[in-house]
Amino acid sequence: MEVLIFQKEAFEEMAAKFSRFSDRVNELLAKQGGKSLNRWMDNQEVCQQLNISPRTLQTLRDNGTLAYSQINHKVFYRPEDVLRIVKPVGNKRATKSI
């Protein structure tokens, strides 16, 4: 365990900056008007929702059909983006069956 010692003024300045940062984050969340920022879907959830394979999901990302965000090699999708493509994916499947 490492112990750090620094001046009281430096600590108070850091605490004040953190408080302002926290207030700003709360303001931004309030502006979202009830939109959930913490409800993102991962690859497995999207594959289950759309009833597609991981490779098909990769293709949807590659060709720009499905928007996504990536954090440290993990891919996330907004539920509204997934719902937006439900019809196009269903239409492609119906066309292939004929």
Side-chain angles (χ1 to χ4, degrees):
M1 182 166 101
E2 194 172 331
V3 177
L4 296 176
I5 299 174
F6 53 96
Q7 294 179 339
K8 180 180 177 183
E9 293 83 16
F11 174 78
E12 289 172 349
E13 182 181 339
M14 182 180 64
K17 286 181 180 181
F18 182 77
S19 180
R20 287 191 302 272
F21 173 76
S22 177
D23 291 344
R24 181 67 180 136
V25 168
N26 288 331
E27 287 174 22
L28 292 171
L29 289 174
K31 285 182 182 179
Q32 291 295 316
K35 292 181 183 175
S36 175
L37 295 178
N38 61 0
R39 181 60 192 131
W40 288 70
M41 300 172 74
D42 64 10
N43 286 332
Q44 183 178 359
E45 291 173 308
V46 174
C47 286
Q48 289 173 347
Q49 174 94 23
L50 298 178
N51 195 25
I52 59 175
S53 71
R55 181 63 193 123
T56 301
L57 181 57
Q58 176 70 48
T59 300
L60 292 174
R61 284 196 313 265
D62 291 346
N63 66 21
T65 302
L66 181 57
Y68 66 95
S69 294
Q70 188 170 359
I71 301 172
N72 290 336
H73 306 294
K74 181 135 172 103
V75 180
F76 297 96
Y77 310 86
R78 293 185 316 176
E80 54 269 23
D81 291 335
V82 174
L83 291 175
R84 191 186 80 243
I85 69 160
V86 169
K87 285 185 180 179
V89 170
N91 290 342
K92 286 181 184 177
R93 285 191 170 172
T95 305
K96 287 182 181 180
S97 317
I98 298 176

